[in-house]
Structures are given as C-alpha cells and as structure tokens.
Amino acid sequence: MIPDALLALIRKFEGLRLKPYLCPAGVPTIGYGHTGPDVRINMPPISEPTAEAMMQQDAATFHRAAGKLSPRLWLEGDNKHAAIADFCFNLGTTRYKSSTLKRRVDAGDWQGAAEELQKWVWGGGKKLPGLVARRKAESTLIVNP
C-alpha cells in the first residue's frame, strides 16, 4: 500500500497540470509530475482522474524501487519510506543508488540522511526554493516518524 505521506508530498510539490509541459530539466511532463514515453508535449490534456491514476502508479513504482534499493525502509515505517520514495520520484533512482544519502539510510543514520537531503536543492546551477521546501518536508518525515 502506498503511504499517504508519499501521495501528499507528490501532490504538494508536483502540483497538478492537465496539459503537457516541459519540466525545468526539459522533460515532457503531465499530471502530477508524470514523465515517460507516453508523455509528448503535443498530446491532448488529460482528465483529473487520469492524472490521479498515473500518480498512484508512479508512486507505487518509486515506493517499491526505494524499498528494493534500501530494504531497511520496509522496516522503518511509512514516513521514512515515503520520504526516500519521494526523493526517488523527484530525482530518479539512479541518483539515489549512488548517493551518500543511500549510504546513510542503509546505515540507519537518519539524522545524517536528513542532512544529506538538504544538499539536493540545486537545478540548473541555482538553488531552487521549491526543492529547498521539498527536501525540508522529506527531512521532517525522516527525523520525526
């Protein structure tokens, strides 16, 4: 089951856009931050129920992926797992896989993990307020289960 905390993070920080757009990284995106080969910049708008279904599927995918990469998350409760799954949703599992953040999570160093999250706030060479807020929300879930 997908933790409510994960869905809340995605809804809050991705926002809902029914028309396709290019995210800051230049990737075609729709709904609640949904990307992939099914998203084209010239596709017609989607409905809110379709966006919700896409988000549920994406959230489940990244929840499982985070747990596979850091199995201890399955034992640590929904909030910690949701925080790392949201990080993976936002930045991808490849970045998480090779990160110091993952090493902290795997060691159970939650304060260290919260500190590592604060380093992932840059986009296009700029510190982005939206990423600062998102990492703060994830950190809060990690240190205040």
Side-chain angles (χ1 to χ4, degrees):
M1 187 164 154
I2 306 164
D4 289 339
L6 175 55
L7 298 174
L9 287 168
I10 293 170
R11 282 189 187 101
K12 179 177 181 176
F13 292 107
E14 294 295 335
L16 174 59
R17 295 180 63 181
L18 301 176
K19 294 180 181 177
Y21 64 98
L22 292 177
C23 75
V27 177
T29 307
I30 200 162
Y32 292 100
H34 177 75
T35 62
D38 58 327
V39 182
R40 296 172 320 284
I41 203 66
N42 61 349
M43 69 190 283
I46 60 173
S47 68
E48 197 166 331
T50 298
E52 183 69 25
M54 288 174 160
M55 182 195 56
Q56 293 277 339
Q57 185 175 21
D58 291 343
T61 297
F62 284 99
H63 186 254
R64 281 190 308 272
K68 185 176 180 181
L69 290 169
S70 292
R72 93 171 293 131
L73 289 170
W74 296 111
L75 309 172
E76 294 291 344
D78 284 349
N79 284 352
K80 289 176 177 157
H81 198 149
I84 299 305
D86 185 64
F87 176 90
C88 291
F89 179 98
N90 181 225
L91 293 173
T93 55
T94 301
R95 287 190 176 126
Y96 177 69
K97 193 184 307 187
S98 60
S99 70
T100 301
L101 170 60
K102 180 185 181 304
R103 289 193 290 281
R104 299 282 187 262
V105 168
D106 292 347
D109 175 6
W110 300 109
Q111 187 59 46
E115 291 167 10
E116 283 301 315
L117 280 168
Q118 304 313 307
K119 297 176 182 177
W120 295 87
V121 296
W122 298 86
K126 298 176 185 171
K127 194 172 195 176
L128 301 179
L131 289 180
V132 171
R134 191 172 196 158
R135 299 289 99 86
K136 182 177 180 184
E138 292 165 350
S139 295
T140 298
L141 287 176
I142 283 180
V143 296
N144 299 315

